[in-house]
Amino acid sequence: MTTPADHAPPGPRIPEAVHRRRWAILGVLMLSLLIVVLDNSILNVAVKTISTPAPTGLGATQSQLEWAINAYTLVFAGLLFSAGLVGDRLGRKKVLIGGIVVFGIGSALAAESGSPGELIAFRALMALGAAFVMPATLAVLMNVFERQEQPKAIGIWAGGVGLAIAIGPITGGVLLDHFWWGSVFLVNVPIVIIALVLMVWLVPDSRDPRPGRIDPVGVLLSVVGLVLLVYGIIKGGELADFTDAKVLATIAAGLVVLTAFVVFEKRSDHPSLDVTYFKNKVFSAAMAAIALVFFALMGVTFFSVFYTQSVRGYSPLQSGLLMLPLAAAQMIFAPRARLVVERLGNKVTTGGGLVLLAGTLAAFATFQADTPIWLLEVVFFLMGLGMAHVMTPTSVVIMQALPREKAGSASALSNTFRQVGGALGIAVLGSVLSTSYRNGIEGKLGALPPGLRATAGESIEATLGVAGKLGAQGRALVTPANDAFLHAMHLTALCGAGVALIGALVTALFLPGRPPAGQQGDREQELVVAGE
């Protein structure tokens, strides 16, 4: 049996010139990470504005909003397999630069979208670039830090997600208060330019001396399978009927294609995803924990924006400021989570983080239209605390499970599960929210003209939009709309909490406990890596 430590040769292997500037390189990688993660956190604040009819927004429906988010996450996740291999083969610096350029072009085009369809398409282009950026950042990190410093560096990297979560909503709120909705995408362009200059100057190139070939069939199967699966789930929520024949057929087709993907990858001699890695229970449990935490978090973040803006009446900027505690907790605790792992082990640290996350999600089921806002702030802070103690330990386990030469592949796997979990969270929990809301409001829309009932019942924003156009008659819909949304939010939050508890059970069963006193230097325990 081998351990991750067995993959690292004795003594330093990082060139001295690179080692001296490793923290500056980490700063550049954090900037690259910032623009990729910031884009989604900005969009979460802007969804209400984009759903407003022109000229203020694009008049996007709830399903279109979900696709504006999922077009990014699905293309991103589907291409991460290949992106990691391309970086390992051609050089991580090259794909990092190329990915950021594409991301910047997509951002500029998204800012000028004239319809929800164009926005969805340009978001997919942004994802194409982001797919090459995200795995490259962790892969470069693993190649500029020695093994003993990697947990600390990965913790700071994970804390960068918290920084993006903080900056995104606030920046988005400021921009939406002063400019048009497209400014939330245009702001990426100057950040891209700065990142490019610093990359060319500071970041060293690295690659796998024995890279695998590109796997176009695997990429195609993964993208098609994910799109079919999530489209079916979104459509089910839009129709408020998951038993509809087209919905069931689409979901089933997605599952069949994804099953074919796994079978093909298992038999391929150059797979995008080496499924033999998952024979190791610790590795698989770490992947599951990352996917489940983002499943729960992304779904709840999606509805919390409508809670703070539509029900509570906060502006986009105020809504962004309300999420500061979540971001602050991640920034504070993610770099320090490794110290908790040293004392308590991965099982207690990660499991405890997931239980805490489940508790914060369940707390949303108690929120009403007049709940003191400081309670929401406390819940957001505890949510960030829980996430910090899941993301850092699981990322370290995954990245140290494979040899350094395969850092791109390990990073791609980690980020794929994170993004797929987030995409499915938005789709499933968004559909639960939509279905529950529609069922709760449809009985209150009888006074509306028949042509407006279906539109008004799709989401709280649609209901309030119709109510605003009807004057005094429409004002009678505001309270029922709020009540229906709160009931839907409570149900959705409890579903998210249940998912987080499943993640806690997985980690309790399969992640290692506290390492023996003599093995503190190898915190991640023994991980079987097939073929090693």
Side-chain angles (χ1 to χ4, degrees):
M1 180 177 290
T2 63
T3 70
D6 295 330
H7 297 306
R13 56 179 293 182
I14 308 298
E16 182 60 30
V18 173
H19 182 74
R20 283 198 306 268
R21 63 178 192 268
R22 64 195 184 282
W23 296 109
I25 294 169
L26 179 60
V28 179
L29 299 177
M30 295 279 287
L31 186 60
S32 307
L33 175 70
L34 177 70
I35 62 173
V36 173
V37 177
L38 177 142
D39 179 73
N40 263 340
S41 58
I42 278 185
L43 185 60
N44 283 334
V45 173
V47 290
K48 181 177 181 292
T49 304
I50 295 172
S51 68
T52 305
T56 302
L58 293 175
T61 65
Q62 179 143 329
S63 62
Q64 288 172 329
L65 288 174
E66 290 176 14
W67 272 108
I69 296 172
N70 284 329
Y72 186 90
T73 50
L74 286 179
V75 173
F76 189 13
L79 293 177
L80 274 170
F81 302 136
S82 263
L85 285 175
V86 170
D88 288 345
R89 184 183 187 88
L90 301 181
R92 286 113 189 189
K93 180 175 182 177
K94 295 183 182 69
V95 300
L96 188 58
I97 290 174
I100 286 186
V101 168
V102 172
F103 182 87
I105 293 171
S107 298
L109 292 172
E112 299 298 328
S113 298
S115 68
E118 287 185 7
L119 177 61
I120 292 169
F122 293 137
R123 290 269 298 161
L125 179 62
M126 293 169 67
L128 174 63
F132 288 87
V133 172
M134 182 70 91
T137 59
L138 263 181
V140 171
L141 182 155
M142 297 299 288
N143 280 273
V144 299
F145 284 91
E146 294 295 350
R147 184 174 182 80
Q148 64 271 21
E149 282 188 322
Q150 286 172 2
K152 181 179 181 181
I154 291 174
I156 295 172
W157 181 92
V161 174
L163 180 63
I165 290 173
I167 293 176
I170 296 170
T171 304
V174 170
L175 291 171
L176 291 172
D177 274 359
H178 295 89
F179 305 102
W180 94 114
W181 65 267
S183 60
V184 301
F185 298 109
L186 198 61
V187 71
N188 291 332
V189 176
I191 303 176
V192 164
I193 293 171
I194 294 170
L196 280 172
V197 172
L198 293 175
M199 269 178 220
V200 172
W201 178 32
L202 286 173
V203 175
D205 207 357
S206 60
R207 68 183 69 192
D208 183 354
R210 296 182 299 276
R213 289 182 287 145
I214 306 301
D215 175 25
V217 175
V219 172
L220 181 63
L221 289 173
S222 65
V223 173
V224 170
L226 286 168
V227 168
L228 287 171
L229 176 64
V230 177
Y231 177 80
I233 294 170
I234 292 175
K235 196 65 178 175
E238 184 181 340
L239 298 174
D241 181 10
F242 280 90
T243 62
D244 181 85
K246 291 182 179 178
V247 171
L248 290 176
T250 306
I251 292 175
L255 293 173
V256 168
V257 173
L258 289 174
T259 301
F261 166 72
V262 172
V263 172
F264 180 84
E265 297 297 286
K266 190 173 182 179
R267 296 178 178 178
S268 174
D269 60 354
H270 58 285
S272 294
L273 172 61
D274 190 342
V275 294
T276 60
Y277 296 150
F278 292 93
K279 291 181 178 179
N280 176 267
K281 294 179 180 179
V282 174
F283 183 81
S284 297
M287 287 292 189
I290 279 185
L292 291 172
V293 74
F294 271 82
F295 180 101
L297 181 77
M298 290 299 289
V300 171
T301 302
F302 183 72
F303 72 64
S304 68
V305 172
F306 288 96
Y307 171 68
T308 56
Q309 294 186 37
S310 298
V311 176
R312 303 300 298 262
Y314 289 99
S315 70
L317 175 57
Q318 291 169 329
S319 181
L321 290 170
L322 287 175
M323 295 189 70
L324 268 177
L326 186 149
Q330 271 202 278
M331 287 192 297
I332 293 168
F333 294 105
R336 294 170 172 79
R338 63 190 173 86
L339 304 177
V340 181
V341 174
E342 289 176 1
R343 293 179 62 86
L344 302 177
N346 276 300
K347 186 193 298 288
V348 173
T349 304
T350 305
L354 283 162
V355 169
L356 179 58
L357 180 63
T360 60
L361 296 176
F364 272 94
T366 68
F367 287 175
Q368 303 296 332
D370 58 353
T371 299
I373 205 64
W374 66 264
L375 286 175
L376 177 66
E377 299 298 86
V378 171
V379 167
F380 273 145
F381 182 84
L382 294 176
M383 186 180 291
L385 175 64
M387 278 196 67
H389 288 87
V390 176
M391 286 181 59
T392 299
T394 52
S395 294
V396 171
V397 167
I398 292 164
M399 293 304 297
Q400 292 191 342
L402 303 184
R404 183 175 293 177
E405 290 77 12
K406 301 294 183 184
S409 299
S411 177
L413 278 172
S414 172
N415 285 294
T416 296
F417 273 69
R418 181 182 292 118
Q419 292 301 319
V420 170
L424 291 177
I426 291 170
V428 174
L429 297 184
S431 295
V432 170
L433 182 73
S434 177
T435 302
S436 180
Y437 179 79
R438 185 187 292 271
N439 291 337
I441 196 65
E442 61 184 1
K444 314 294 184 183
L445 302 177
L448 295 180
L452 286 179
R453 290 175 196 167
T455 300
E458 186 170 296
S459 68
I460 184 172
E461 200 54 39
T463 306
L464 296 178
V466 170
K469 294 176 181 178
L470 296 177
Q473 179 189 0
R475 283 195 289 273
L477 290 175
V478 173
T479 298
N482 286 343
D483 291 343
F485 178 83
L486 288 170
H487 174 75
M489 183 182 80
H490 296 164
L491 176 62
T492 307
L494 291 175
C495 290
V499 170
L501 286 176
I502 292 172
L505 178 62
V506 170
T507 57
L509 290 174
F510 299 115
L511 282 187
R514 184 177 179 178
Q519 297 182 18
Q520 292 292 330
D522 187 14
R523 289 179 294 275
E524 306 317 317
Q525 300 293 297
E526 294 189 342
L527 298 174
V528 178
V529 179
E532 294 296 328

